[in-house]
Amino acid sequence: MDALAVRHERHLGMEAGHRKPSPRRSLHFLQALFILFVGLCAIISYTFVTSRVEKIRPRITNRTNRATRGFVVPMFDAMIPIGISLIKELRRYGNNDIVQVYHCLDEISPRSMQLLYQSDEQIEVIDVCLDYVTRGNLTLEQAKDFRNFFIKPLALIHTRLDDVILLDADDILFSDPAALWTVPAYREYGTIFFYDREINENSYLNGKHRWTNEKGVDVEENTLQEMMRVFESERFGLERNKPSDHVRNSLPYNSQGAHEQDSSVVVVDKRVHKKAMDVLWFLITEWRYRYSYSWGDKENFWLAYEFSHSPYYFSPHGTSAAGGRQGHDPQTVCGDIAHFFPLDGRDDILHINGNRLINPYIKTNSVNGYNRKFDAGKLTEMVANLPEYFAGLRRRGPTPIMQPNGSCPQECMYQRGVIRVTEAQRQSMAQRISDSFEVAAAIDAFGSQGLEQ
């Protein structure tokens, strides 16, 4: 190569004897630049999202993964606003116990999981169905049948915690529920259950049918009576079941009510009466397909203890309701189910199970259906329509109202007395609504992508 050619190559930025860069190398260089650009955009986007969520993050210290007590709260994407606001409510009452958020087969999206983890440092998110499928305890098809109310008993069986309080995400609390662990009956029996409404209708535990007894006589019995008669006690190494005093005195067993337990709050010490968990598994994986005895999951908890011959404790108080008084009957309050603290001598309301009172989203069916279109203006309307009354403190007892009844529907506590909602309770409910809307607004700002079921 002559000197002129060498000078010409150096002028072009090439040393003598080196080849000109190939188009492929240029392409690789451009690809690297593009990947770097995308990475920078992702970092900027993540920083933006994090900053938007930061405002709903309370700071919790003293985190521990070795907790032996805590709350189990099933959720799915549409429940994230009221679920996070429930956790904030717990923290406002000074509670720092761990909250295990249970879901089934990716019901909680990555974005929802991010919101949960950023909202509180004492949270574990657990896909219980995936875990049981992976272990071989459930098939994938079986697991899909727990994407509903039945995730609650499944979560109770699964949790590693010893002292457990199951909460619904739409529970509205008026004090720290950790006090339930100090109730003497909990220490004695290892459970606290709450009664359901007194609904007198021929369904569920009070569903009627006929059978021919051992004497060849055709007789009528209800579902609870049948279950007591035919339960497979031998499967669990137990003698044939004889109804306990609780069952014999219960409204359903005496054909005076269709329901016994409300499961919006369930308190269980898993260190004792372990056979009850075995029976609970049997009920939710097998017996619920044979008998129509429960609206959702709720009857399975107390029945697991009854069928396993394990002692259990119900609140001494009957159910209350939070809402308004009937115009034609001012001693009857109609509204969402509520419960007094489960101890004689206490007359304070522990919680309301009130989805419609606090949820920014509109429920479209009785299970997991929600319209998640966000309307910020709905907040003012909801605060303006908070409950004004609770049904009075009382013992559980039969109702003379037979359902269905147009003048006194099942959400009405017929002539059970009236207690006015206090200003403190009203402020607590208003704060819960505000917290729920704050989370929903943050989700809406991010867009709905990735939040579909």
Side-chain angles (χ1 to χ4, degrees):
M1 183 179 293
D2 59 26
L4 180 61
V6 171
R7 285 197 302 271
H8 181 64
E9 285 189 352
R10 287 176 177 172
H11 177 70
L12 295 176
M14 297 179 290
E15 293 294 334
H18 286 209
R19 291 183 298 172
K20 183 179 179 180
S22 68
R24 178 173 294 180
R25 287 188 177 182
S26 299
L27 180 60
H28 287 169
F29 178 71
L30 290 173
Q31 287 176 332
L33 283 177
F34 178 74
I35 292 171
L36 178 62
F37 174 75
V38 170
L40 287 172
C41 288
I43 292 171
I44 293 170
S45 176
Y46 176 80
T47 303
F48 172 74
V49 168
T50 302
S51 66
R52 296 295 296 274
V53 178
E54 191 70 20
K55 63 181 180 181
I56 62 172
R57 174 193 278 181
R59 299 294 183 182
I60 306 296
T61 58
N62 301 324
R63 181 179 184 180
T64 174
N65 292 320
R66 294 187 294 273
T68 60
R69 76 175 204 179
F71 302 98
V72 169
V73 186
M75 294 187 202
F76 50 93
D77 276 339
M79 302 294 277
I80 293 300
I82 61 175
I84 289 178
S85 69
L86 171 67
I87 296 168
K88 292 186 71 174
E89 192 164 68
L90 285 168
R91 304 317 184 206
R92 273 201 305 275
Y93 292 127
N95 183 281
N96 288 319
D97 288 303
I98 192 169
V99 177
Q100 292 184 322
V101 176
Y102 271 79
H103 66 113
C104 181
L105 300 177
D106 296 323
E107 286 183 302
I108 294 181
S109 66
R111 181 170 289 174
S112 293
M113 200 171 300
Q114 180 193 44
L115 285 167
L116 282 165
Y117 282 132
Q118 290 178 335
S119 71
D120 193 276
E121 295 182 357
Q122 285 280 71
I123 288 179
E124 293 177 355
V125 180
I126 300 166
D127 189 334
V128 61
C129 295
L130 178 61
D131 189 46
Y132 275 135
V133 170
T134 302
R135 292 190 205 177
N137 301 109
L138 295 172
T139 67
L140 182 60
E141 288 305 309
Q142 287 174 321
K144 290 177 181 178
D145 255 0
F146 288 91
R147 303 186 79 185
N148 48 45
F149 300 120
F150 284 92
I151 191 175
K152 290 163 64 178
L154 190 69
L156 176 61
I157 295 168
H158 182 273
T159 180
R160 62 179 172 79
L161 301 175
D162 295 326
D163 293 296
V164 183
I165 297 179
L166 268 172
L167 296 175
D168 284 349
D170 55 2
D171 285 341
I172 306 167
L173 304 170
F174 295 105
S175 61
D176 183 359
L180 294 168
W181 287 314
T182 69
V183 172
Y186 174 73
R187 295 176 176 175
E188 180 179 354
Y189 296 100
T191 63
I192 298 176
F193 299 144
F194 292 84
Y195 286 114
D196 203 351
R197 305 173 191 268
E198 295 98 336
I199 300 174
N200 195 0
E201 63 182 8
N202 295 329
S203 65
Y204 298 107
L205 291 175
N206 196 34
K208 299 295 196 297
H209 62 275
R210 306 194 71 83
W211 72 290
T212 303
N213 65 20
E214 61 277 2
K215 296 180 180 179
V217 179
D218 182 63
V219 297
E220 182 183 78
E221 67 179 356
N222 67 27
T223 304
L224 180 57
Q225 293 164 353
E226 179 187 18
M227 292 172 72
M228 291 294 122
R229 177 172 57 83
V230 304
F231 183 74
E232 302 167 39
S233 304
E234 299 84 357
R235 175 190 286 253
F236 302 96
L238 300 170
E239 295 181 1
R240 176 61 65 175
N241 199 63
K242 294 181 180 180
S244 67
D245 288 343
H246 179 91
V247 170
R248 287 194 297 270
N249 294 322
S250 70
L251 298 185
Y253 196 75
N254 290 282
S255 296
Q256 295 176 317
H259 311 283
E260 184 73 355
Q261 183 178 0
D262 169 56
S263 63
S264 58
V265 173
V266 178
V267 192
V268 170
D269 182 349
K270 288 189 65 179
R271 288 166 297 210
V272 297
H273 314 311
K274 295 182 182 297
K275 189 156 288 188
M277 294 298 105
D278 297 333
V279 174
L280 183 59
W281 177 270
F282 172 67
L283 292 176
I284 64 176
T285 59
E286 295 192 39
W287 255 39
R288 69 165 160 134
Y289 300 106
R290 303 185 200 176
Y291 300 94
S292 297
Y293 59 89
S294 179
W295 167 247
D297 62 290
K298 56 188 180 179
E299 308 292 0
N300 290 282
F301 299 100
W302 80 273
L303 285 174
Y305 281 78
E306 174 68 27
F307 287 140
S308 64
H309 303 176
S310 303
Y312 54 94
Y313 172 79
F314 268 87
S315 169
H317 307 306
T319 303
S320 183
R325 296 187 295 181
Q326 282 194 316
H328 63 277
D329 185 359
Q331 288 300 303
T332 296
V333 175
C334 303
D336 297 271
I337 195 167
H339 291 285
F340 292 93
F341 193 88
L343 189 64
D344 277 325
R346 294 275 298 263
D347 61 359
D348 52 308
I349 292 287
L350 174 66
H351 78 284
I352 304 170
N353 185 234
N355 190 301
R356 69 178 184 87
L357 299 177
I358 59 173
N359 202 331
Y361 302 143
I362 298 173
K363 202 169 179 65
T364 57
N365 64 43
S366 60
V367 187
N368 291 354
Y370 284 87
N371 178 351
R372 283 179 274 175
K373 183 178 180 181
F374 179 63
D375 178 8
K378 186 181 172 186
L379 185 152
T380 303
E381 176 186 347
M382 292 175 71
V383 171
N385 289 283
L386 290 172
E388 296 181 1
Y389 300 97
F390 292 109
L393 180 69
R394 61 185 177 83
R395 295 297 194 198
R396 179 170 170 83
T399 175
I401 303 298
M402 187 71 185
Q403 296 295 339
N405 189 302
S407 65
C408 189
Q410 64 181 27
E411 62 268 20
C412 296
M413 300 288 101
Y414 178 69
Q415 294 188 348
R416 301 299 194 184
V418 175
I419 301 171
R420 183 173 284 278
V421 170
T422 67
E423 182 58 28
Q425 289 166 333
R426 181 179 174 82
Q427 289 299 322
S428 182
M429 287 186 277
Q431 183 63 56
R432 181 67 183 279
I433 294 170
S434 177
D435 290 343
S436 298
F437 270 74
E438 186 177 9
V439 179
I443 293 172
D444 187 62
F446 302 153
S448 60
Q449 185 178 2
L451 289 179
E452 295 301 322
Q453 291 282 354

